[in-house]
């Protein structure tokens, strides 16, 4: 009984963003994801050996922390098989694969560690909560920015990892890789940086395909939402706090509380 209660409590706090404990846990996880990603970026630049060793030790500690998080989520899951093959679980597993160096080739470990940034997807709702983004436009815009940032970060890390060894003059550091990714995904193609390996060229093709399929669709969603909100009015509901309603709405579409917007609009029109 006590074990089951502990499991349910832990599962609640791992997903909760309202209570102080839930927010603290999510803040820690969010910080560690960003910090580990910053370590990966820093290691693409020339740094002193002693600093590099310290960063690697910190990264190993974060890796152990993520492994513990994964095991706890697995323990709390009611349906273990479904959990293992769920989207978020696969991302979490990718993030901790480098903890098993005996089973994976070293270069593969260096490549998959760039996917750790995908763990941020789990905390997208939490980040929206942190920045107090309450409007539908703001949420969609935040998702678009996050999607673009994630895709660019992953492709930049992958192309750097693949090309740096064979083409160090063009891909000196992470910033060079970001520049190449942005130019490639936007199909500008200046041609001043060119991948030379087969893997690099394959990644370039994937970048182009991702850019021409992802960016227009994301911008299209934003434009649709902006057109939709021109027919809305901003007025907070006294019942639930929801702030965007149709111009002629009489009641809140979330909780049903009377708004009075329709009556106010009629009065203004008569004036």
């Amino acid at each position: 009984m006590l074990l089951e209660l502990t499991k349910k409590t832990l599962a609640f706090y791992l997903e909760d963003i309202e209570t102080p404990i839930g927010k603290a846990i999510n803040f820690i996880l969010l910080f560690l994801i960003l910090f580990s990603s910053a370590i990966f970026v820093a290691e693409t630049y020339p740094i002193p050996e002693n600093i590099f060793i310290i960063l690697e030790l910190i990264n190993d500690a974060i890796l152990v922390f993520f492994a513990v998080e994964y095991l706890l989520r697995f323990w709390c899951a009611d349906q273990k098989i479904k959990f293992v093959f769920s989207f978020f679980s696969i991302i979490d597993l990718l993030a901790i694969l480098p903890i098993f160096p005996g089973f994976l080739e070293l270069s593969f470990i260096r490549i998959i560690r760039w996917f750790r940034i995908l763990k941020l997807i789990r905390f997208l709702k939490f980040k929206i909560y942190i920045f107090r983004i309450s409007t539908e436009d703001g949420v969609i815009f935040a998702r678009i920015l996050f999607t673009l940032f994630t895709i660019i970060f992953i492709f930049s890390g992958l192309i750097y990892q693949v090309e740096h060894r064979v083409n160090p003059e063009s891909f000196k550091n992470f910033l060079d890789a970001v520049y190449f990714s942005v130019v490639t995904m936007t199909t500008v193609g200046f041609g001043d940086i060119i991948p030379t390996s087969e893997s690099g060229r394959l990644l370039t093709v994937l970048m182009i395909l991702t850019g021409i399929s992802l960016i227009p669709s994301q911008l299209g969603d934003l434009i649709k939402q902006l057109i939709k909100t021109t027919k809305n009015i901003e007025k907070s509901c006294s019942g639930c706090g929801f702030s965007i309603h149709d111009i002629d709405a009489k009641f809140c579409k979330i909780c049903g509380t009377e708004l009075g917007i329709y009556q106010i609009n009629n009065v203004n029109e008569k004036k």
Side-chain angles (χ1 to χ4, degrees):
M1 184 67 180
L2 180 60
L3 186 64
E4 190 66 25
L5 180 61
T6 303
K7 185 186 296 186
K8 288 183 179 180
T9 303
L10 183 59
F12 170 78
Y13 284 127
L14 284 172
E15 302 295 336
D16 174 58
I17 61 173
E18 299 290 342
T19 65
I21 296 177
K23 284 190 286 188
I25 291 174
N26 280 279
F27 261 122
I28 292 172
L29 291 171
L30 187 61
F31 171 77
L32 291 178
I33 294 169
L34 294 173
F35 191 54
S36 65
S37 300
I39 290 176
F40 298 157
V41 172
E43 289 179 350
T44 67
Y45 292 85
I47 55 178
E49 183 67 23
N50 59 333
I51 301 296
F52 181 84
I53 294 174
I54 293 174
L55 290 178
E56 280 295 295
L57 290 174
I58 295 174
N59 182 61
D60 291 342
I62 293 175
L63 190 59
V64 171
F65 188 92
F66 286 153
V68 172
E69 179 209 357
Y70 178 84
L71 293 174
L72 288 175
R73 290 184 185 275
F74 177 79
W75 179 63
C76 294
D78 293 327
Q79 301 178 3
K80 308 295 185 187
I81 302 297
K82 184 178 179 181
F83 169 82
V84 170
F85 292 100
S86 66
F87 176 72
F88 288 126
S89 179
I90 292 173
I91 291 175
D92 291 342
L93 189 59
L94 277 175
I96 65 173
L97 275 180
I99 206 171
F100 309 110
F103 299 96
L104 295 171
E105 197 264 324
L106 184 59
S107 61
F108 181 66
I109 291 177
R110 290 174 177 172
I111 288 175
I112 64 172
R113 70 182 188 172
W114 294 98
F115 286 95
R116 192 177 295 179
I117 196 72
L118 286 174
K119 283 175 66 66
L120 285 176
I121 297 175
R122 187 191 292 276
F123 300 97
L124 180 59
K125 182 180 177 182
F126 180 57
K127 288 186 292 180
I128 290 173
Y129 173 83
I130 292 174
F131 293 108
R132 299 291 190 271
I133 303 174
S134 57
T135 64
E136 205 168 346
D137 286 347
V139 171
I140 291 177
F141 188 65
R143 285 175 179 167
I144 291 174
L145 287 180
F146 172 77
T147 301
L148 294 176
F149 167 78
T150 303
I151 295 298
I152 290 172
F153 183 90
I154 291 176
F155 272 130
S156 299
L158 294 179
I159 196 68
Y160 171 83
Q161 208 68 58
V162 168
E163 284 290 315
H164 178 65
R165 290 183 179 180
V166 298
N167 193 9
E169 291 300 319
S170 296
F171 294 88
K172 298 175 184 176
N173 50 52
F174 185 72
L175 183 58
D176 290 337
V178 169
Y179 167 76
F180 176 78
S181 298
V182 172
V183 168
T184 302
M185 290 184 65
T186 54
T187 65
V188 175
F190 291 126
D192 52 341
I193 298 180
I194 302 174
T196 57
S197 67
E198 291 185 3
S199 300
R201 290 171 181 170
L202 177 60
L203 273 173
T204 302
V205 172
L206 291 176
M207 285 184 195
I208 295 172
L209 293 176
T210 302
I212 62 179
S213 61
L214 178 68
I215 295 177
S217 64
Q218 294 290 307
L219 292 178
D221 289 341
L222 180 60
I223 292 172
K224 288 179 183 178
Q225 184 59 33
L226 290 175
I227 294 174
K228 179 181 176 181
T229 53
T230 58
K231 300 178 181 179
N232 294 337
I233 186 173
E234 185 170 350
K235 180 178 176 64
S236 296
C237 170
S238 59
C240 66
F242 188 74
S243 58
I244 303 297
H245 298 89
D246 295 336
I247 293 177
D248 59 350
K250 297 180 180 180
F251 303 94
C252 175
K253 57 185 175 183
I254 303 298
C255 66
T257 301
E258 187 173 359
L259 298 172
I261 297 175
Y262 183 72
Q263 289 85 344
I264 292 174
N265 288 339
N266 282 341
V267 172
N268 290 335
E269 288 176 1
K270 289 178 181 179
K271 289 181 179 180

